[in-house]
Amino acid sequence: MAEPGRPIASPLRARIDELLAGVDADLQTGYPGDGDATQPVHTVYVSAADATPQIPQEWGAAAADLLDTHRDLVTELSGADAVDIVARRLESAPIQDLRLDFEDGYGRRSDDTEDRDARRAGHTLAALGTDVCGIRIKGLTSAERNRAVRTLELVLDAAGAVPSGFVFTVPKLRAAEQATAAVWLCEALEHAHGLPDGTLRFELQIESPQAILGADGTATVAKALHRSAGRCLGLHYGTYDYSAACGIAPQQQALDHPVADHAKAVMMAAAAQTGVRVVDGSTQVTPAGTGEEVRSAIRRHHHLVTRSLERGYYQGWDMHPGHLVTRWLATVTFFRAALAAAAPRLQAYLDRRGGAIVDEPATAEALATVVLRGLGVGAFAIGDVLALAPGADLAVLRNLKERKHS
């Protein structure tokens, strides 16, 4: 048997502590975890030219009509219980996150027209009842930044105060310095409006390959995120601009193309444990046209949303009222299936039982997180959780998510 070694000398311990003290602080600041806020299931994009406070009700009614018309198909896709949950959601709160668009979905209009629409957008946002709302400004490029800044100012002026849950989207990120510019813009607006520091938040839209891979070989999106001074709420994938920039033929541009998967995987790795959300993009295939075209689009969107959820993208863009049906159906179905799989494993972990799967603390954290996500989107109630895992009440789930294990 080997002789026991001498203890490591105190001076070396002190050198290690000195070396890593700054590293520990930087990691804690840069990667604080995901936080407790419930992530919306979607962002609904509507041209700012069409902004009215009635958008949620109008979209919900149109979505409910589609669900009723094709109840046989949606029941086949998700089951009667999920359809009932979604029908109630479409009636009560169909849209969680609404973005009024002043960029591609708005186009180029005269300054007078955009000024008028910006003021109307501010009034609209102030009257909305969605969890999150905001605008997508034009990009912070030399050709557009003055217009982008003016529109944002006018929206906030017209709103009278920062609407609850307000966020603005910065499109076409290509350089990390654009995130710094967005921070400076937030600071100037807060000062001008007498707002507390940190009130204004933004999202970065990834529509360019240069945002994923910079000329120096690094991930520009990661640099941009960490230059955002804690103000960046989400990273949004731009399906068609990104695909086009990569040279993908139009008929192949889609959320499930390999270039999309690569970009979103880099975004996910950059955002992991920062509290910044990764948001999937849109599909141009809408449930419109002939009966068979509508049914094909319903199946397609349900598949795309399910695929995104399976890959950890819990939020995506919806561009048509009919997308609300399949967004909520796929989301409810996904999390109800997740509960059925997660609850027995959670209870086994809490009981410290053996079994076919022996989970580690990190896995228990993931199991609790997926159950909390399902509760947050209304896929099931806490009573459903306790019926399958009697020890997994809300306090236990939250402690597991924060890795407060006994």
Side-chain angles (χ1 to χ4, degrees):
M1 181 179 293
E3 293 283 335
R6 289 184 297 174
I8 294 175
S10 294
L12 177 57
R13 294 176 187 269
R15 286 178 60 200
I16 292 173
D17 289 342
E18 182 180 359
L19 172 68
L20 296 181
V23 173
D24 292 340
D26 289 344
L27 288 172
Q28 182 62 37
T29 300
Y31 301 94
D34 292 334
D36 296 327
T38 299
Q39 182 174 2
V41 304
H42 60 188
T43 297
V44 167
Y45 270 79
V46 177
S47 171
D50 303 322
T52 72
Q54 288 73 46
I55 288 171
Q57 292 78 16
E58 293 169 355
W59 276 51
D65 286 344
L66 182 73
L67 184 147
D68 288 340
T69 301
H70 299 281
R71 186 173 286 267
D72 61 329
L73 174 58
V74 296
T75 302
E76 174 191 323
L77 291 172
S78 295
D81 289 345
V83 171
D84 289 342
I85 292 172
V86 172
R88 292 193 294 271
R89 166 65 71 167
L90 295 177
E91 182 179 355
S92 61
I95 295 177
Q96 285 190 307
D97 181 358
L98 178 63
R99 201 73 71 249
L100 302 179
D101 190 14
F102 285 93
E103 209 233 353
D104 286 349
Y106 180 79
R108 295 192 177 277
R109 307 180 187 226
S110 71
D111 283 338
D112 287 345
T113 299
E114 185 159 341
D115 286 353
R116 184 190 67 231
D117 288 341
R119 293 187 182 96
R120 189 172 71 253
H123 296 310
T124 296
L125 295 175
L128 283 172
T130 55
D131 297 338
V132 183
C133 67
I135 64 170
R136 178 167 68 165
I137 60 174
K138 289 179 169 63
L140 296 178
T141 61
S142 58
E144 294 186 320
R145 72 172 67 106
N146 287 338
R147 180 65 258 182
V149 171
R150 177 166 174 77
T151 295
L152 181 57
E153 287 183 296
L154 289 173
V155 168
L156 291 175
D157 285 342
V162 177
S164 177
F166 179 82
V167 61
F168 66 96
T169 306
V170 180
K172 294 181 172 56
L173 178 78
R174 297 186 72 189
E177 289 80 3
Q178 289 168 326
T180 302
V183 171
W184 292 354
L185 179 56
C186 289
E187 292 171 345
L189 287 168
E190 287 168 355
H191 178 74
H193 288 264
L195 299 170
D197 293 345
T199 297
L200 294 176
R201 309 288 297 277
F202 58 84
E203 304 157 329
L204 299 172
Q205 192 165 352
I206 309 305
E207 303 176 83
S208 166
Q210 292 80 38
I212 295 299
L213 184 64
D216 60 357
T218 63
T220 305
V221 63
K223 291 182 177 180
L225 189 157
H226 289 283
R227 284 184 177 222
S228 297
R231 294 180 184 268
C232 182
L233 186 66
L235 303 175
H236 287 234
Y237 177 66
T239 310
Y240 300 101
D241 283 40
Y242 190 93
S243 298
C246 289
I248 306 304
Q251 69 271 22
Q252 301 299 326
Q253 294 174 6
L255 291 174
D256 53 358
H257 192 281
V259 300
D261 286 339
H262 172 258
K264 289 180 286 189
V266 173
M267 291 162 62
M268 178 177 283
Q273 298 179 321
T274 65
V276 175
R277 301 160 176 170
V278 177
V279 182
D280 207 355
S282 64
T283 176
Q284 86 280 35
V285 180
T286 63
T290 67
E292 187 47 46
E293 287 172 336
V294 170
R295 293 171 75 86
S296 176
I298 288 172
R299 292 188 184 94
R300 175 66 173 159
H301 191 244
H302 187 274
H303 162 74
L304 288 172
V305 176
T306 301
R307 183 181 188 274
S308 294
L309 290 165
E310 290 171 348
R311 284 155 179 78
Y313 309 119
Y314 299 110
Q315 183 177 352
W317 291 12
D318 288 331
M319 310 293 285
H320 184 278
H323 286 159
L324 300 185
V325 176
T326 34
R327 173 70 60 187
W328 283 109
L329 277 172
T331 300
V332 167
T333 304
F334 175 83
F335 282 109
R336 286 170 72 86
L339 174 64
R345 291 172 65 180
L346 275 171
Q347 191 60 48
Y349 180 84
L350 294 170
D351 293 342
R352 301 297 194 270
R353 292 198 305 258
I357 302 175
V358 181
D359 288 315
E360 297 183 353
T363 304
E365 177 187 359
L367 293 168
T369 298
V370 77
V371 172
L372 287 168
R373 284 186 181 275
L375 287 167
V377 302
F380 44 79
I382 188 61
D384 300 312
V385 179
L386 295 174
L388 296 171
D393 60 23
L394 278 175
V396 168
L397 291 170
R398 289 169 180 153
N399 284 339
L400 288 172
K401 181 177 181 291
E402 298 300 323
R403 293 217 192 187
K404 297 174 182 175
H405 309 307
S406 58

